[in-house]
Amino acid sequence: MMQRIDLRGGLPARAELLRLMPRATGDVSHAVDAARELVEAVRTTGAAALHDQAERFDGGAPEHVRVPQAEIDAAVAGLTPELRTALDEAIRRVRAASAAQVPAGSVTTLADGAEVHQRWQPMRRVGLYVPGGKAVYPSSVVMNVVPAQVAGVGSIALVSPPQRDHGGTVHPTILAAAGLLGVDEVYAMGGAGAIGALAHGVPEIGLEPVDLVTGPGNNYVAAAKRLVRGVVGIDAEAGATEILVIADDSADAGYVAADLVSQAEHDEQAGSVLVTTSAAFADAVEAAIPSRVAALGTAARLQTALDGPQSAIVLVDSLADAAAVSNAYGPEHLEIQTADDDAVLADIDAAGAVFVGPSTPVSLGDYLAGSNHVLPTGGQARFGSGLSASTFLRPQQVIRYSPEALHQVSTHIVALATEEQLPGHAAAVTERTSR
């Protein structure tokens, strides 16, 4: 049984509402100490640490940490026609949607000869993490690589854990997705150590440090990203996945139950939350869940996630209250299935991605919607955003002033520099305008 949180009769103050929201108990902070040890080992001993960590955590070290091109080519050749077609279509759609995320440059003219140019420069080199623990995620290859390519990143390194069932190398479907995208720098490494390797580099295997690390992973991966932030950039500290569904009694209880179950199968820590105005609808959804769980091979994992403190059914008085609850929660994935979806959407300000209407399940966004599925978790949607082409771009201001334009503002600069007791700043201007 999923826990119930009854907020009918008026929502509490925001601080109390944040406290009441269901969350996973195993957050990133609990993994920091262990991750620090693994990252530091890779920084100081390089390939030896990667070998040791693969033996400890992945069931054996790979013969080659960097995957040979021949293995990538063989993986592409081994794809079934159905899977290749699906990957090609996913790549096409994500590429098209990502292209719309590249900001246009601009020029602001403040006076004759006084211009500020805004340009967006791609990162030189990025490292992309593709998880490989409980499942295989070729879709994550697509979601990480395509926006980086669209942004114009010239050098991409992809890492994914070595798989015991595949001879200690990266899962062939991951390799195939990389091959379809033209990525030839792939490493069989996983967990916190892989993040450390991307941040610090490993000369023995030819791995040059990157400037940005992106991609989802478990709490140890997220903790490692926290630790290397500042050495490199990161997209976010992605934790366990989550879904929040806003629904009223006009929704299909079977659809909602299926969607709650779909996210719960990712991980025992995954969160599934229903916010509804109808207790009868809540009962109908809860009654529809057991048969759907029992039909899946991931039933044990599902049940743990649905019964956990991170999952709940929340009862509210109105759809406006439902939106307020969702905004406080800041879900990674938000579904809206109501009699007036657009009105609810207008009240939403914090969500990684929003799926509107009964024909738009989160599964669509995981694979073929064209949107990106690397999204902020753990409430980070209240201040962060999902992976996009702009993640791989740096805004830069380029300033161009003529002598006349500088002269026009020189007295203002001198006045401000004098007030701040920075005479050298003033002198750098008067040196030019006094000649």
Side-chain angles (χ1 to χ4, degrees), residues 88-393:
D88 284 340
E89 182 63 10
I91 291 167
R92 185 189 72 79
R93 288 172 177 248
V94 175
R95 197 176 296 282
S98 297
Q101 298 162 352
V102 178
S106 64
V107 180
T108 303
T109 301
L110 299 160
D112 287 344
E115 295 179 349
V116 176
H117 298 244
Q118 182 73 53
R119 68 176 188 174
W120 297 82
Q121 292 294 100
M123 304 270 180
R124 181 189 62 86
R125 175 169 166 78
V126 300
L128 313 179
Y129 188 90
V130 177
K134 295 181 172 66
V136 54
Y137 295 107
S139 57
S140 287
V141 179
V142 176
M143 300 296 174
N144 277 272
V145 172
V146 170
Q149 291 178 333
V150 168
V153 174
S155 179
I156 296 174
L158 189 147
V159 302
S160 191
Q163 302 291 311
R164 180 186 307 174
D165 295 340
H166 295 281
T169 191
V170 173
H171 195 288
T173 312
I174 299 295
L175 294 179
L180 288 176
L181 288 161
V183 175
D184 58 8
E185 188 179 352
V186 182
Y187 298 90
M189 61 176 78
I195 302 301
L198 289 171
H200 298 292
V202 184
E204 305 100 299
I205 60 173
L207 175 55
E208 180 188 351
V210 302
D211 301 314
L212 175 74
V213 176
T214 75
N218 61 22
N219 281 339
Y220 294 97
V221 170
K225 289 168 77 174
R226 176 183 294 182
L227 292 168
V228 301
R229 172 182 258 164
V231 177
V232 295
I234 66 170
D235 54 344
E237 296 177 11
T241 191
E242 62 207 18
I243 180 175
L244 186 146
V245 181
I246 295 176
D248 58 18
D249 57 9
S250 70
D252 186 302
Y255 287 177
V256 173
D259 294 347
L260 294 173
V261 167
S262 72
Q263 286 307 110
E265 76 174 341
H266 274 287
D267 186 88
E268 289 86 351
Q269 292 282 315
S272 294
V273 180
L274 167 63
V275 183
T276 182
T277 53
S278 169
F281 181 77
D283 292 342
V285 170
E286 194 159 45
I289 287 176
S291 61
R292 287 165 172 78
V293 170
L296 301 173
T298 50
R301 185 192 312 160
L302 276 164
Q303 202 60 59
T304 299
L306 293 169
D307 290 344
Q310 72 272 20
S311 298
I313 294 174
V314 182
L315 298 173
V316 294
D317 288 322
S318 66
L319 290 176
D321 283 354
V325 168
S326 179
N327 288 333
Y329 183 80
E332 176 189 17
H333 307 97
L334 169 63
E335 288 188 359
I336 302 174
Q337 299 184 41
T338 67
D340 194 348
D341 294 337
D342 288 337
V344 176
L345 179 62
D347 287 336
I348 296 300
D349 58 44
V354 186
F355 299 80
V356 181
S359 298
T360 318
V362 166
S363 297
L364 176 66
D366 284 342
Y367 302 111
L368 262 297
S371 57
N372 203 291
H373 78 200
V374 182
L375 301 167
T377 61
Q380 293 181 80
R382 289 183 285 117
F383 51 83
S385 58
L387 197 69
S388 70
S390 61
T391 304
F392 301 94
L393 295 166

